[in-house]
Amino acid sequence: MSVLLIAGSPSERSRTAALLSAAGQRLKFRGAQVETLRVRDLPPQALLLADFGNPAVVRATAQVAAADIVVVATPVYKAAYSGVLKVFLDLLPQTALKGKTVLPLATGGSPHHMLALDYALRPVLQSLGAKNILPGIYATDSQVVVNPEGGYHVDEDIADRLDDAVNTLINDHIAPTLSNAGRFSNVHFSQVRCSV
C-alpha cells in the first residue's frame, strides 16, 4: 500500500506539516510505504503558469498517479485551503485521484474555519475522481503545538482521530487483500469437467 502525503502549506515548519507528519508516522508504523510531496518545493513559476511539462511538475503528477492513498494537508486561510495547494491541484489531470482514497487534513486558528474541509476542499477532491474521501480532520492551533526545535505535540483528541483514520485506511486496503489470499480463482461453468 503506497501513500502520498501532500503538504499544502507554504511554510516549511508549520502546524499543518506537523499534523501531516503525525499521520505519516502512524501509516509507516502500520506498514505503509509513505512518500511526501511538499508543494512549496515545486517551482513557483511552473505552478503559477500551469507549466504541465516542467520536470518537477511531471514528477509530482507521477507521484500522485502511483499512490493508492493520498493524504492532503492544508492550512485554512480566509475560510479556504491554501493558494499553493490550489495551484497544484489545478495542474493535476481531471482523473488524478480516480480509484484513490483521500484523507483531508487542515489546521486553522479557530474552530470557525472547520467547514473549509467540506465546503472548499472536498468538492475539488471529488472533481478529481477520488473513490473515497474520508471525513476530514481539522485541528486548531491549540491542538497542534510546534516547539522551536521542530518537534510537535498533537492533542489527544486529534491523535485519536488520526488513529481512527489510519485504521480505516489500513482496513480498507490491506484487509480485503488478505481476505482474498489463498482463494481459488473463479471458474466459468463451461470450464468445469467432471468424471464419474
Coordinates of all heavy atoms in Angstrom, one line a residue, residues 5 31 60 64-65 67 69-71 78 80-81 92 95 104 115 122 170 181 184 195:
L5 N 1.8 11.7 0.9 CA 1.4 12.8 1.8 C 1.6 14.1 1.0 O 2.8 14.4 0.6 CB 2.2 12.8 3.1 CG 2.3 11.6 3.9 CD1 3.3 11.8 5.1 CD2 0.9 11.1 4.4
G31 N 2.9 -0.2 8.4 CA 3.5 -1.0 7.2 C 3.3 -0.3 5.9 O 3.6 -0.9 4.9
A60 N 5.8 15.3 -9.8 CA 4.8 15.4 -8.8 C 3.5 14.7 -9.2 O 2.9 14.0 -8.5 CB 4.6 16.8 -8.4
V64 N 1.5 11.3 -7.6 CA 0.0 11.2 -7.3 C -0.5 10.0 -8.0 O -1.3 9.2 -7.4 CB -0.7 12.5 -7.7 CG1 -2.2 12.3 -7.6 CG2 -0.3 13.7 -6.9
A65 N -0.2 9.8 -9.3 CA -0.7 8.7 -10.0 C -0.3 7.3 -9.4 O -1.1 6.4 -9.4 CB -0.2 8.7 -11.5
A67 N 0.3 6.6 -6.2 CA -0.2 6.3 -4.9 C -1.6 5.6 -4.8 O -2.4 5.9 -5.7 CB -0.3 7.6 -4.1
I69 N -3.2 5.7 -1.8 CA -3.9 6.6 -0.8 C -3.2 8.0 -0.9 O -2.0 8.0 -1.0 CB -3.8 6.0 0.6 CG1 -4.6 4.7 0.7 CG2 -4.3 7.0 1.6 CD1 -4.4 4.0 2.0
V70 N -4.0 9.0 -0.8 CA -3.4 10.4 -0.8 C -3.9 11.1 0.5 O -5.1 11.1 0.8 CB -3.8 11.2 -2.0 CG1 -3.3 12.6 -1.9 CG2 -3.3 10.5 -3.3
V71 N -3.0 11.6 1.3 CA -3.3 12.4 2.4 C -3.0 13.9 2.1 O -1.8 14.1 1.8 CB -2.6 12.0 3.7 CG1 -3.0 12.8 4.9 CG2 -2.8 10.5 4.0
K78 N -8.6 32.4 5.3 CA -9.8 33.1 4.8 C -10.9 32.1 4.4 O -11.4 32.2 3.3 CB -9.5 34.1 3.7 CG -8.6 35.2 4.1 CD -8.4 36.2 3.0 CE -7.7 37.5 3.5 NZ -6.4 37.3 4.0
A80 N -10.7 29.1 3.4 CA -10.4 28.2 2.2 C -9.1 27.6 2.4 O -8.3 28.0 3.2 CB -10.5 29.0 0.9
Y81 N -8.8 26.5 1.6 CA -7.5 25.9 1.7 C -6.4 26.8 1.0 O -6.7 27.8 0.3 CB -7.5 24.5 1.0 CG -8.0 24.4 -0.4 CD1 -7.1 24.4 -1.4 CD2 -9.4 24.4 -0.7 CE1 -7.5 24.4 -2.8 CE2 -9.8 24.3 -2.0 CZ -8.9 24.3 -3.0 OH -9.3 24.3 -4.3
L92 N -3.2 19.1 -11.8 CA -3.4 17.6 -12.0 C -4.4 17.3 -13.0 O -5.4 18.1 -13.3 CB -3.9 17.1 -10.6 CG -2.9 17.1 -9.5 CD1 -3.6 16.6 -8.2 CD2 -1.6 16.3 -9.8
T95 N -8.7 13.2 -13.8 CA -8.9 11.9 -13.1 C -7.7 11.5 -12.2 O -7.5 10.3 -12.0 CB -9.2 10.8 -14.2 OG1 -8.0 10.8 -15.1 CG2 -10.4 11.1 -15.0
P104 N -8.3 14.1 4.0 CA -8.0 15.5 4.0 C -7.7 16.0 5.5 O -8.4 15.6 6.4 CB -9.3 16.2 3.5 CG -10.4 15.2 3.5 CD -9.8 13.9 3.8
L115 N -15.3 24.1 8.5 CA -16.1 23.7 7.4 C -15.4 23.9 6.0 O -15.9 23.4 5.0 CB -17.5 24.4 7.4 CG -18.4 24.0 8.5 CD1 -19.7 24.8 8.5 CD2 -18.7 22.5 8.5
R122 N -13.2 19.4 -0.2 CA -13.9 18.2 -0.6 C -14.4 18.2 -2.0 O -14.2 17.3 -2.8 CB -15.0 17.8 0.4 CG -15.6 16.5 0.0 CD -16.7 16.1 1.1 NE -16.0 15.7 2.4 CZ -15.7 14.5 2.7 NH1 -15.9 13.5 1.8 NH2 -15.1 14.2 3.8
I170 N -6.1 1.4 6.6 CA -5.5 0.1 6.6 C -6.5 -1.0 6.4 O -6.3 -1.9 5.6 CB -4.8 -0.2 8.0 CG1 -3.6 0.8 8.1 CG2 -4.3 -1.6 8.1 CD1 -2.5 0.7 7.1
A181 N -6.6 -13.8 -0.1 CA -5.4 -14.6 -0.2 C -5.7 -16.0 0.0 O -6.5 -16.4 0.9 CB -4.3 -14.1 0.8
F184 N -9.2 -19.8 -4.4 CA -9.1 -20.2 -5.8 C -9.8 -19.1 -6.7 O -10.7 -18.4 -6.3 CB -9.8 -21.5 -6.1 CG -9.2 -22.7 -5.4 CD1 -9.7 -23.2 -4.2 CD2 -8.0 -23.2 -5.9 CE1 -9.1 -24.3 -3.6 CE2 -7.4 -24.3 -5.3 CZ -7.9 -24.8 -4.1
S195 N -15.8 -36.3 -14.1 CA -15.7 -37.6 -14.5 C -16.3 -38.5 -13.4 O -16.1 -38.3 -12.2 CB -14.3 -38.1 -14.8 OG -13.5 -37.9 -13.6

